[in-house]
Amino acid sequence: AQSVSQHNHHVILSEAASLELGCNYSYGGTVNLFWYVQYPGQHLQLLLKYFSGDPLVKGIKGFEAEFIKSKFSFNLRKPSVQWSDTAEYFCAVTSRNTGNQFYFGTGTSLTVIP
Amino acid sequence: DSGVTQTPKHLITATGQRVTLRCSPRSGDLSVYWYQQSLDQGLQFLIQYYNGEERAKGNILERFSAQQFPDLHSELNLSSLELGDSALYFCASSVGYRGGTTEAFFGQGTRLTVV
């Protein structure tokens, strides 16, 4: 079955620590990959996206993600987190094989301690 | 502001009742998605419409239905409500279904509380 897996459900970090959130997908063919962020009480907002080209994608607020096709992964990274990064992070995939429908992972809750 | 408008923002209703949630997509977007977000289930895909037609169905209960109108706004109808239906319901829109994709833009959500 097609799926998006986010293995880290809850992550707690101190400010200035480095962050890496895992995302793995199981879809065939060409995929488009996204990371969304949901700050407390708000809607989901796009952090970054990958359609093609350089597999290292830079997004807003210092976030980046690397697409590794052989591992079916699209992990999110940030070298130094801030308290304001406390939020829920969702990985999402679309694929032409599935009619470009968005599939979301279950999310990772990040808490950054000042 | 994502450009996706959802109304109402909050809704409190009793068990057994029926409610309608409304979504206006971004100008030019033809695809509308509905998601349910609850604490225990996470973000669950309910249904997708493209240019008025149903394109994909996810974990949508039979008590729930949706439609997309000619002006591309969409409504999600929830009937015979149960306590467990209390959740945040998000609508998202994107450019299209065929010929490539862009990101989905999310509305602010409707928080439904069933008492």
Side-chain angles (χ1 to χ4, degrees):
Chain A
Q2 298 160 337
S3 67
V4 179
S5 299
Q6 291 183 242
H7 304 295
N8 315 103
H9 296 294
H10 300 280
V11 174
I12 301 174
L13 294 173
S14 298
E15 274 193 319
S18 64
L19 169 72
E20 181 159 4
L21 302 182
C23 173
N24 289 90
Y25 63 93
S26 59
Y27 294 94
T30 303
V31 293
N32 301 307
L33 299 153
F34 307 83
W35 275 98
Y36 282 82
V37 60
Q38 184 181 26
Y39 297 105
Q42 296 190 26
H43 63 288
L44 277 76
Q45 304 168 45
L46 183 71
L47 262 184
L48 48 80
K49 60 188 177 186
Y50 172 80
F51 289 165
S52 64
D54 188 344
L56 185 61
V57 179
K58 294 196 184 300
I60 61 171
K61 304 187 181 187
F63 286 91
E64 65 179 31
E66 185 175 13
F67 171 50
I68 303 179
K69 190 174 181 180
S70 61
K71 294 185 178 180
F72 297 90
S73 71
F74 190 57
N75 292 354
L76 181 71
R77 299 194 292 250
K78 185 171 184 178
S80 175
V81 295
Q82 300 173 314
W83 175 78
S84 58
D85 293 325
T86 294
E88 189 95 14
Y89 292 82
F90 293 90
C91 179
V93 176
T94 66
S95 164
R96 284 184 185 267
N97 290 1
T98 58
N100 288 323
Q101 179 193 328
F102 278 83
Y103 289 90
F104 282 85
T106 52
T108 297
S109 173
L110 171 65
T111 300
V112 180
I113 301 170
Chain B
D1 182 11
S2 67
V4 179
T5 304
Q6 287 188 250
T7 57
K9 286 192 171 57
H10 302 277
L11 199 48
I12 301 175
T13 189
T15 54
Q17 295 298 304
R18 172 190 168 97
V19 297
T20 297
L21 313 183
R22 183 187 168 102
C23 170
S24 294
R26 287 191 330 148
S27 176
D29 284 358
L30 298 178
S31 268
V32 170
Y33 308 79
W34 285 98
Y35 291 87
Q36 179 193 58
Q37 186 179 36
S38 58
L39 283 175
D40 55 345
Q41 296 285 332
L43 195 64
Q44 297 281 318
F45 168 67
L46 296 179
I47 198 164
Q48 177 197 1
Y49 280 84
Y50 173 77
N51 204 19
E53 293 185 9
E54 182 184 304
R55 280 303 179 191
K57 250 182 178 177
N59 300 323
I60 188 165
L61 300 171
E62 283 192 12
R63 300 183 285 109
F64 296 0
S65 65
Q67 57 185 132
Q68 186 179 28
F69 294 86
D71 66 353
L72 300 178
H73 90 271
S74 178
E75 292 181 356
L76 179 67
N77 300 297
L78 315 176
S79 61
S80 302
L81 285 167
E82 302 174 359
L83 295 177
D85 297 326
S86 295
L88 196 53
Y89 290 84
F90 283 110
C91 166
S93 73
S94 69
V95 169
Y97 167 73
R98 299 182 189 280
T101 188
T102 64
E103 63 264 33
F105 293 86
F106 282 78
Q108 295 279 355
T110 293
R111 182 166 295 284
L112 174 66
T113 303
V114 182
V115 297

